[in-house]
Amino acid sequence: MIGDNIRKFRKKKGLSQDNLARAANIPYTTLTKIESNVVTKPSVQNVAKIAKALEVSIEKLLEE
């Protein structure tokens, strides 16, 4: 799931959820909901912002 991939890449970069949320310019609560798979279909805009902040492609975040 996308939340698991985001968590994996975030931890690889040594970022906290708060740091990533700030870097991606999205609300902290939005990021935590996506990471915990409460939100399973986040908006394309948010996924793009997270991917850019993590310096990975959107495709990488969507991989199974």
Side-chain angles (χ1 to χ4, degrees), residues 16-37:
S16 68
Q17 287 180 322
D18 188 51
N19 291 137
L20 178 55
R22 289 173 194 266
N25 197 28
I26 62 172
Y28 172 78
T29 52
T30 300
L31 177 63
T32 58
K33 286 177 184 172
I34 294 170
E35 263 199 22
S36 61
N37 296 310

